[in-house]
Amino acid sequence: MSVRIGINPLTWTNDDLPTLGAETPLETCLSEGKQAGFSGFELGHKFPRKADVLGPILDAHGLNLVSGWCSGNLLTNSVEQEIEAIRDHLELLKALGSKVMVYCEITGCIHGQINTPLSHRPRMTEQQWEEFLGKLNAVADWCMEQGVQLAYHHHMGTVIETEAEVDRMMQGTGPSMGLLLDTGHMTFAGGNPIAVQQRYADRIVHVHCKDLRPNVLADAKNRDMSFLNAMLSGVFTVPGDGFIDYLTLFKGLKASNYSGWLVVEAEQDPAVAHPLTYATLGANNLKRFCAESGLELQA
């Protein structure tokens, strides 16, 4: 079993705060990502959403499409409405060879609101949990039938943020519902990404690798910052540049025969954190962690 390393374009240009890197063209993201040592990219807002347009662009750079974020609205949509809402996105991923869809319920989310503290994030009632899990399971089953597995992204500022909420989501859904393990978001939320990996080893289908600067994290929590202000303060960095124990995590992935993507997704201000420099550091650190843990890197 082997893994591949990819990157999200928000290293260069940010989807939640589009003014960051607004002037940076897609060509720069792709060429520098390839130069840094990555073999694939996740989607961002500057990517064309037609397979016959995006495919040749990626091919020209020798890159694969890893996956792409999908905003879920199951707390307001029916299963049928949600399937129609995500169908085009799924078809794009499938056409370009992606095996998983990054999915996150965004109803009431506040991670894109720069003046809203993270403590104000939404939480589900008991009735909402029951309805949500039933609908999520149905959508996950449908996606699996189409050949693309849902990978649920627990995310700061949303209804599924904490380790306990991830547990409830995983326990309330079936095997078609995969988990995206985001090391940075889980740690920011006070959880333990290594424990989550061990608990759901057979259902983790995608991994986002971001690290945290401990002093900035402590300050962000102490002042109850918004997600975006924490990011602008430098709370996130690339794997290996913070305090998360990636070597132990990767040894766990090796033991579970994980064979998906390892994706650097480290939100930073590109005017402060030079994108090519940090992309290269992230790629080199992922390669080192893979070598030290025994994870085989696919060429």
Side-chain angles (χ1 to χ4, degrees):
M1 308 292 279
S2 59
V3 298
R4 291 183 285 179
I5 62 170
I7 192 165
N8 189 290
L10 54 71
T11 296
W12 292 266
T13 175
N14 196 290
D15 282 11
D16 291 326
L17 194 58
T19 54
L20 297 184
E23 72 287 351
T24 304
L26 177 61
E27 169 69 23
T28 298
C29 302
L30 298 178
S31 60
E32 291 190 353
K34 182 68 174 181
Q35 180 183 344
F38 295 99
S39 58
F41 262 81
E42 289 189 332
L43 292 171
H45 69 280
K46 294 184 178 179
F47 282 60
R49 296 305 171 105
K50 298 292 184 182
D52 59 352
V53 177
L54 179 55
I57 293 173
L58 294 173
D59 289 343
H61 290 275
L63 292 164
N64 297 111
L65 179 61
V66 177
S67 184
W69 170 281
C70 181
S71 295
N73 290 281
L74 275 174
L75 286 175
T76 54
N77 281 346
S78 67
V79 170
E80 294 73 21
Q81 288 171 327
E82 189 74 351
I83 286 173
E84 286 307 306
I86 70 175
R87 187 186 295 273
D88 287 347
H89 186 59
L90 183 144
E91 291 299 333
L92 171 63
L93 297 176
K94 185 176 180 179
L96 294 181
S98 298
K99 303 299 183 186
V100 300
M101 179 195 295
V102 176
Y103 185 89
C104 178
E105 177 65 34
I106 65 161
T107 300
C109 68
I110 53 91
H111 63 275
Q113 300 173 15
I114 197 165
N115 294 317
T116 304
L118 277 168
S119 62
H120 292 195
R121 68 155 179 124
R123 289 169 174 81
M124 287 189 277
T125 65
E126 284 299 313
Q127 182 178 351
Q128 285 177 316
W129 266 109
E130 291 181 13
E131 294 176 357
F132 174 73
L133 291 174
K135 291 194 284 188
L136 182 62
N137 213 42
V139 173
D141 287 346
W142 178 82
C143 288
M144 185 71 92
E145 291 169 2
Q146 311 310 306
V148 177
Q149 187 170 13
L150 276 193
Y152 196 94
H153 189 341
H154 54 94
H155 198 288
M156 297 301 297
T158 71
V159 292
I160 297 183
E161 176 186 281
T162 67
E163 187 170 346
E165 289 162 347
V166 169
D167 285 342
R168 184 161 186 180
M169 188 268 294
M170 296 300 287
Q171 293 163 11
T173 55
S176 63
M177 186 68 245
L179 178 64
L180 184 162
L181 175 60
D182 187 299
T183 55
H185 281 278
M186 180 52 62
T187 305
F188 198 137
N192 183 340
I194 294 170
V196 173
Q197 186 279 321
Q198 293 172 347
R199 197 150 60 244
Y200 302 111
D202 59 339
R203 292 176 67 186
I204 291 173
V205 296
H206 203 52
V207 180
H208 276 177
C209 301
K210 62 165 67 73
D211 222 326
L212 292 157
R213 296 183 173 99
N215 293 340
V216 183
L217 176 62
D219 183 55
K221 288 190 170 186
N222 183 56
R223 293 200 280 150
D224 193 17
M225 287 184 183
S226 68
F227 178 76
L228 290 178
N229 277 329
M231 179 270 293
L232 289 170
S233 297
V235 71
F236 295 121
T237 185
V238 296
D241 191 42
F243 70 94
I244 294 175
D245 182 2
Y246 273 96
L247 183 55
T248 297
L249 177 72
F250 278 28
K251 287 179 178 178
L253 293 172
K254 167 66 176 178
S256 68
N257 293 316
Y258 177 74
S259 60
W261 286 90
L262 304 170
V263 179
V264 170
E265 195 223 27
E267 299 98 320
Q268 299 190 81
D269 183 347
V272 176
H274 184 252
L276 179 58
T277 298
Y278 276 89
T280 303
L281 178 62
N284 289 342
N285 284 343
L286 285 187
K287 292 174 183 178
R288 175 169 58 86
F289 292 137
C290 285
E292 293 176 0
S293 64
L295 274 172
E296 180 184 351
L297 262 180
Q298 183 175 323

